[in-house]
Amino acid sequence: ESALEPIPPEIAKHNSVIKQMHRNKKSLEYLLLDKSIHFDAMKTLQDKHKRGTPDLIHITLLNIIATPLYKNNLLKIYLHTINNNILHIHENVRLPKSYSRFELLMSKLFRENIIEHNNKKLIEILNTDLDGLIAKINPDIIIGLSSKGKINNCKKISKKLYEYNNPLLIIGGFPHGDFSQNTVKK
């Protein structure tokens, strides 16, 4: 349910979106929903409190790919978006540190469904939803990190994950609110 998405069609004609298109000399499909720019336009969107923070996703992904787990191919990254897309960040991907370059990369991904370099898949949108992804991964435990959950420290969570062969850790990628009921059930 991460807050990463293209501009939703229902706000495409809002002044803040049109101004951004003119200012950046880009068409709509090159823009991501961003609360800092589209705050007024987002007032009518469902779950607006959970949307429009792609910078949060950028920072989170940069931190994850910097870990020894990821660098040693011991961690797979899947990003479930608010629109129920599943993005797979493949192994050994170096994401741009610059947010503006990350934004361009993500808008290209939403347009083309895949980012490749030298015939190697780097990031792709999978043809599945969260239920399909969980079925594909077939984890032996699912742990969700939520503000409504039991308070634990990182060391305890790490030890718990280490007890299993194929654990799945779900982290909320949104600024406010909680997981949807469908995610909580998992």
Side-chain angles (χ1 to χ4, degrees), residues 7-144:
I7 300 284
E10 58 263 37
I11 66 166
K13 295 187 184 204
H14 191 274
N15 282 342
S16 62
V17 175
I18 293 168
K19 282 181 186 175
Q20 185 189 22
M21 286 172 23
H22 290 303
R23 188 179 329 112
N24 295 345
K25 297 180 176 118
K26 292 183 181 170
S27 59
L28 187 65
E29 64 269 9
Y30 287 85
L31 303 178
L32 297 178
L33 183 66
D34 189 327
K35 187 181 289 186
S36 65
I37 300 167
H38 311 116
F39 182 78
D40 287 336
M42 290 177 62
K43 289 179 181 176
T44 60
L45 292 178
Q46 183 179 356
D47 292 327
K48 63 182 175 265
H49 61 284
K50 292 174 70 171
R51 300 169 78 172
T53 54
D55 56 325
L56 175 70
I57 306 309
H58 179 232
I59 291 167
T60 302
L61 287 173
L62 286 177
N63 281 296
I64 292 170
I65 66 171
T67 65
L69 285 173
Y70 180 75
K71 289 180 178 182
N72 291 306
N73 295 324
L74 298 171
L75 174 72
K76 292 185 180 179
I77 303 172
Y78 297 96
L79 193 67
H80 175 246
T81 70
I82 193 85
N83 296 326
N84 210 17
N85 297 118
I86 301 292
L87 283 57
H88 180 203
I89 313 291
H90 287 268
E91 294 77 29
N92 300 312
V93 171
R94 290 177 47 214
L95 293 173
K97 289 185 170 69
S98 157
Y99 174 71
S100 58
R101 291 189 59 219
F102 174 78
E103 187 177 27
L104 290 171
L105 183 71
M106 290 298 114
S107 66
K108 180 179 180 182
L109 177 65
F110 284 121
R111 288 190 316 275
E112 299 177 7
N113 291 323
I114 192 163
I115 303 292
E116 293 181 303
H117 182 69
N118 293 335
N119 292 325
K120 181 185 173 211
K121 292 180 184 178
L122 301 176
I123 309 171
E124 66 179 315
I125 298 178
L126 302 178
N127 190 19
T128 191
D129 57 10
L130 185 59
D131 293 333
L133 177 65
I134 290 173
K136 175 186 172 192
I137 294 172
N138 192 24
D140 40 16
I141 187 172
I142 300 174
I143 297 176

